[in-house]
Amino acid sequence: MSLVFIVVLTLSLSNLVFLPLSDACTVSVSGSLASYGSFPLVSHTDDNGFTPSDLRLVRVPSRSLRSKRPVHVWAPNYPRVVDASIAPDYAPSPSSQPPFVPIGYIPEEEETSSSSTKTTTKQQNHHHHQPNQRKETYAYLDLEYALANEVGLAVAESSCTANTVGWPVNKPGGYNLLSINELSKIALERCSTSRCAISVMGSLAEKYGFYDDGAGSPDAPDYTNSAEALAVVSAEDGEAWIFNILTGDNNASAIWAAQRVPDDAISVIANSFTIREIDFDNHETFMYSANVTALALKMGWWDPQKDPKFDFYASYGFDPMRSMKNKKRAKQLQRVLRYYSGRRMWRAFQLLAPNSSIAQSLDPLVGNLPRRMQGSYPFAIRVSRHSVRVDHMKAMMRDHYEGTRFDLTKGMAAGPYGDPNRPANTAQQAVGQFERAISMHRTLWSFVVEVHKSLKSNSRDGTNPNLSTAWFGYDMPHGTVYLPFYPASKIPPPRSFRSRLGLMSNFSMDSAWWAFNFANQYASTNFRAINADIRAKSETIERRIDEQKLAWETSILNSNSNSGGSSSSIMEQLGTRAQHLAQSVVDEWWPFAFQLMAKYGQGLVVYNETYAERQEYPAWWLDSRDVGFSTWQPNGPYHGVPDDEEAPEEVEIALS
Ligand SMILES: *[C@@H]1O[C@H](CO)[C@@H](O)[C@H](O)[C@H]1NC(C)=O
Ligand SMILES: *[C@@H]1O[C@H](CO)[C@@H](O)[C@H](O)[C@H]1NC(C)=O
Ligand SMILES: *[C@@H]1O[C@H](CO)[C@@H](O)[C@H](O)[C@H]1NC(C)=O
Ligand SMILES: *[C@@H]1O[C@H](CO)[C@@H](O)[C@H](O)[C@H]1NC(C)=O
Ligand SMILES: *[C@@H]1O[C@H](CO)[C@@H](O)[C@H](O)[C@H]1NC(C)=O
Ligand SMILES: CC(=O)N[C@H]1CO[C@H](CO)[C@@H](O)[C@@H]1O
């Protein structure tokens, strides 16, 4: 997604460049053999909360194919779209709300009968990558990007840097129809496998053009946000893939590549491409656009004399040192990009692969840039079989580098109460950067999808219910509860997840997002103490949910295999349980959040009507001269003065 808080570094018109202070989304994926449950896992944090955003988790129902499918520019803010033909939740409300005008159309019906792609004909033997032959689309859970569909296909997004830019057809200089938002939705409408999703997205993007809504404008192109990566996982064939896409030559069409994550490996994306050398003959592992190397050759981004092997990221990732005239600025930007992406890759690999010597020996100082360096991070890392659990991904998403030298809960910027959040904009003149944690104040939501298909049929109609589960958590991952939803069930998330009242500009107890955000905002008054309470509560609820979910799945599947319920009625029963559970947790979270205000009010920890303790500032913080406590004087505290300056005479007695 696009960045909003940007600082113009160079105003010379010939060399306009932006330094990203905020960029969004961390993705991880685990292959079927690496995952505990023998199906791939995918995780995503959506960190776009630096701008008002549409907070709804919506179910888009199945619909019949149309000759012309409208294509929209999806808005980041509420409403992300107004088009009743997509979903009831996207209908105008109030009825006077003007529908979005499509920026174009793509054919839908003919695509199902012809080959999904003209560009990957060599893979035709993989018949299963053809789109569905049905006359309807698949239903799916939807956010700004699609999340997971009813037949076990799920995607997770992260925006990337690139050497090209492009804009939608309704903007000056725009030649393109499709954003990653639309591409992800089209893929989930049509496909049940990762290969199908990649073929469909890739071929449509080549034909109709791909743009990234973070690419700025022709006058001020932003190369730090002009491309996309998706992790794509499917239950049907158990495959996990990474898809990288950018706009093609002359700001039009698209260039893309996809690489399969080995079944026994994990992979991480943190706002950069990760596909490196492509083996053009290995169709088990690689897919790519026609002409994938042509633009790189034409522009001199790839020199086959120097590098016989084509490296996708090295060729198409944005390299400030190569592209920017002002080398001092280029160097600053390069350093930011290097660690902005690399540090999270390093950390996620370490957390998800605790027993891999390769993951544990990655160097956090190498970072991640198009140009390969000694010790660069790999595309994927093999892990012990069945070692990666949903819980590992949840813990990874809640991380702030705790216990490492990059720990954001430590140091002066974290304050006396160890707050890892750094929400305020940095001073315009200041040159610098905070570490970029995985869990952030601006994370709007995050999820882990555990795709799944049941191996034996429990239903009367002989079809397999799809037990894929999207574990979805609102607001900051370090202060959320991940709640299970079944993308295959017609039962939508509870109303509070689709609220039209609870907007980022309108606090509302009608909205589940606000329950979690409310507690998390309050936690910033004493992060260490209050977040610890929130995490403990969340952990208790999550353990309870694991037990409840297993129990209701067992009972519903068993009773239906005895009584012979249909697959859709099984999914309806499961979805109803999930819907009620989600709302019951939200209903439990509100009074819990309110009670935090009682417990931590007045700088106290209030246990009951007769007993309270005072919250404590740590000694290292009190001792700091900048704080002014240890250097208090009758004529005023000694604060706001750099630490290394001589303090006036020491104060002997400190009254409390
Ligand atoms: C493509 O975008 C670049 C950067 O804004 C611009 O300089 C160039 O003129 C554009 N090319 C075309 C064909 O529109
Ligand atoms: C491939 O690249 C060549 C040279 O840039 C161009 O003439 C041709 O149209 C491209 N083909 C496709 C399918 O993009
Ligand atoms: C790592 O190895 C230890 C010791 O063998 C084992 O207990 C633990 O479960 C392993 N963890 C993972 C994630 O594989
Ligand atoms: C804001 O939320 C309140 C409380 O839920 C609701 O009554 C009100 O209609 C909402 N306002 C808007 C503009 O959505
Ligand atoms: C109040 O809380 C404190 C600390 O938990 C406890 O020791 C004490 O017994 C409580 N008093 C009452 C009256 O509950
Ligand atoms: C009832 C139903 O939709 N079953 C589907 C579950 O997903 C698999 C693919 O993973 C389909 O083959 C089933 O038809």
Side-chain angles (χ1 to χ4, degrees):
M1 249 301 300
S2 59
L3 59 94
V4 164
F5 293 163
I6 43 183
V7 170
V8 179
L9 269 186
T10 309
L11 277 165
S12 121
L13 278 175
S14 59
N15 192 10
L16 196 69
V17 169
F18 300 93
L19 174 66
L21 292 181
S22 13
D23 203 340
C25 311
T26 310
V27 167
S28 78
V29 55
S30 163
S32 56
L33 286 175
S35 303
Y36 178 73
S38 303
F39 285 97
L41 297 173
V42 66
S43 79
H44 170 81
T45 64
D46 190 302
D47 308 335
N48 289 323
F50 39 65
T51 177
S53 302
D54 190 329
L55 303 165
R56 292 174 294 168
L57 174 64
V58 164
R59 185 166 196 276
V60 172
S62 168
R63 60 165 169 79
S64 28
L65 300 184
R66 307 176 209 166
S67 55
K68 285 163 58 191
R69 180 197 183 280
V71 172
H72 290 292
V73 172
W74 291 68
N77 52 300
Y78 176 90
R80 62 172 71 108
V81 77
V82 179
D83 181 342
S85 74
I86 300 175
D89 282 312
Y90 293 144
S93 173
S95 55
S96 59
Q97 201 178 33
F100 277 29
V101 178
I103 60 164
Y105 294 86
I106 57 167
E108 198 162 59
E109 276 167 336
E110 72 194 48
E111 299 278 331
T112 55
S113 47
S114 69
S115 163
S116 66
T117 167
K118 286 150 211 82
T119 60
T120 49
T121 43
K122 281 182 201 144
Q123 291 139 22
Q124 222 115 63
N125 52 328
H126 294 288
H127 55 92
H128 53 265
H129 79 270
Q130 300 303 318
N132 81 73
Q133 305 290 316
R134 311 183 319 161
K135 286 290 167 206
E136 303 98 54
T137 59
Y138 293 123
Y140 55 96
L141 285 177
D142 195 34
L143 297 154
E144 57 191 325
Y145 320 102
L147 196 169
N149 74 8
E150 61 178 321
V151 285
L153 175 70
V155 297
E157 177 272 359
S158 185
S159 53
C160 301
T161 77
N163 281 331
T164 62
V165 280
W167 300 281
V169 290
N170 66 339
K171 293 262 176 65
Y175 313 122
N176 307 294
L177 205 51
L178 295 164
S179 61
I180 201 69
N181 312 62
E182 279 291 23
L183 287 173
S184 69
K185 293 166 206 279
I186 294 166
L188 267 62
E189 287 164 12
R190 297 187 186 183
C191 293
S192 62
T193 67
S194 310
R195 285 179 198 261
C196 167
I198 290 160
S199 301
V200 164
M201 291 189 290
S203 57
L204 287 173
E206 283 175 75
K207 187 165 174 190
Y208 296 99
F210 165 79
Y211 70 92
D212 197 290
D213 53 9
S217 63
D219 290 344
D222 185 351
Y223 297 90
T224 67
N225 237 317
S226 61
E228 291 288 339
L230 290 182
V232 188
V233 303
S234 46
E236 184 167 309
D237 54 10
E239 292 188 5
W241 286 75
I242 304 294
F243 174 68
N244 288 179
I245 184 169
L246 66 155
T247 309
D249 201 4
N250 290 317
N251 315 335
S253 186
I255 296 166
W256 59 271
Q259 182 171 354
R260 184 170 171 188
V261 178
D263 288 345
D264 59 351
I266 57 169
S267 191
V268 175
I269 314 171
N271 299 120
S272 73
F273 292 150
T274 54
I275 297 174
R276 293 287 185 172
E277 282 164 13
I278 296 180
D279 178 349
F280 294 105
D281 297 322
N282 181 352
H283 300 295
E284 272 304 310
T285 307
F286 291 98
M287 295 168 75
Y288 42 85
S289 52
N291 267 353
V292 66
T293 59
L295 185 63
L297 283 168
K298 176 177 150 186
M299 302 300 292
W301 296 330
W302 177 40
D303 178 357
Q305 305 298 318
K306 275 203 328 223
D307 305 297
K309 288 198 170 161
F310 175 71
D311 179 323
F312 186 87
Y313 183 28
S315 303
Y316 290 122
F318 175 58
D319 181 346
M321 293 304 277
R322 183 164 62 192
S323 312
M324 286 168 61
K325 294 202 184 79
N326 182 332
K327 293 302 166 198
K328 189 171 162 232
R329 302 291 192 205
K331 212 167 175 173
Q332 281 173 357
L333 180 56
Q334 187 174 55
R335 200 172 56 194
V336 171
L337 292 176
R338 176 174 181 173
Y339 296 115
Y340 193 85
S341 169
R343 200 81 86 211
R344 280 176 290 153
M345 289 182 76
W346 166 77
R347 182 63 167 168
F349 274 132
Q350 292 227 319
L351 291 174
L352 295 176
N355 292 348
S356 153
S357 57
I358 293 177
Q360 296 310 310
S361 60
L362 294 179
D363 181 351
L365 304 184
V366 171
N368 182 41
L369 285 174
R371 188 173 305 183
R372 261 210 214 232
M373 286 153 291
Q374 186 70 31
S376 284
Y377 308 139
F379 169 77
I381 291 182
R382 296 199 139 79
V383 298
S384 323
R385 293 206 160 189
H386 307 303
S387 65
V388 183
R389 293 169 182 258
V390 171
D391 279 353
H392 292 122
M393 288 193 172
K394 291 185 197 166
M396 179 272 289
M397 293 193 294
R398 288 173 160 135
D399 185 73
H400 318 97
Y401 307 112
E402 280 89 345
T404 75
R405 74 181 107 157
F406 313 106
D407 193 339
L408 279 153
T409 67
K410 294 274 155 52
M412 191 58 87
Y417 298 129
D419 193 337
N421 294 321
R422 308 277 187 274
N425 205 357
T426 40
Q428 294 281 313
Q429 298 83 356
V431 173
Q433 182 84 359
F434 289 120
E435 284 300 334
R436 200 289 199 194
I438 299 173
S439 182
M440 296 191 95
H441 62 278
R442 59 180 161 87
T443 307
L444 293 167
W445 56 73
S446 55
F447 59 76
V448 182
V449 187
E450 195 177 15
V451 296
H452 187 89
K453 65 172 181 191
S454 63
L455 303 173
K456 71 177 178 67
S457 172
N458 290 77
S459 69
R460 185 183 45 197
D461 55 9
T463 58
N464 300 327
N466 288 290
L467 298 182
S468 296
T469 304
W471 296 92
F472 180 85
Y474 265 137
D475 206 54
M476 311 173 203
H478 57 243
T480 196
V481 180
Y482 288 100
L483 298 165
F485 294 99
Y486 297 101
S489 178
K490 286 193 171 61
I491 305 296
R495 234 176 46 81
S496 64
F497 285 68
R498 301 176 280 126
S499 169
R500 289 170 178 269
L501 303 175
L503 312 178
M504 254 170 84
S505 57
N506 191 50
F507 176 86
S508 170
M509 288 180 66
D510 195 60
S511 155
W513 183 82
W514 272 113
F516 295 99
N517 180 269
F518 177 76
N520 283 332
Q521 283 204 47
Y522 183 64
S524 66
T525 60
N526 184 336
F527 186 86
R528 183 173 298 119
I530 302 176
N531 182 250
D533 276 15
I534 292 175
R535 283 185 191 236
K537 176 80 173 171
S538 162
E539 196 175 329
T540 306
I541 296 179
E542 288 184 356
R543 291 289 77 84
R544 199 175 75 207
I545 292 174
D546 285 342
E547 286 166 21
Q548 288 175 336
K549 180 172 182 279
L550 187 64
W552 82 51
E553 283 177 356
T554 309
S555 125
I556 289 172
L557 292 178
N558 282 343
S559 76
N560 278 281
S561 68
N562 296 335
S563 72
S566 70
S567 178
S568 75
S569 102
I570 295 175
M571 285 319 308
E572 196 168 318
Q573 294 166 56
L574 293 170
T576 303
R577 296 300 293 261
Q579 188 196 56
H580 289 164
L581 173 79
Q583 190 54 45
S584 76
V585 171
V586 174
D587 292 343
E588 185 176 350
W589 207 255
W590 278 115
F592 165 68
F594 295 147
Q595 189 53 30
L596 291 172
M597 302 207 65
K599 182 169 176 189
Y600 292 102
Q602 317 296 122
L604 300 173
V605 187
V606 183
Y607 289 94
N608 50 44
E609 279 309 308
T610 51
Y611 184 71
E613 286 164 5
R614 294 177 61 171
Q615 296 181 31
E616 265 179 23
Y617 292 119
W620 68 266
W621 186 81
L622 287 176
D623 287 346
S624 162
R625 291 180 168 184
D626 282 356
V627 170
F629 176 79
S630 60
T631 52
W632 181 85
Q633 289 289 299
N635 60 352
Y638 184 82
H639 62 193
V641 183
D643 243 358
D644 48 7
E645 268 181 44
E646 194 64 32
E649 84 205 52
E650 297 291 325
V651 177
E652 308 252 310
I653 306 157
L655 296 174
S656 54

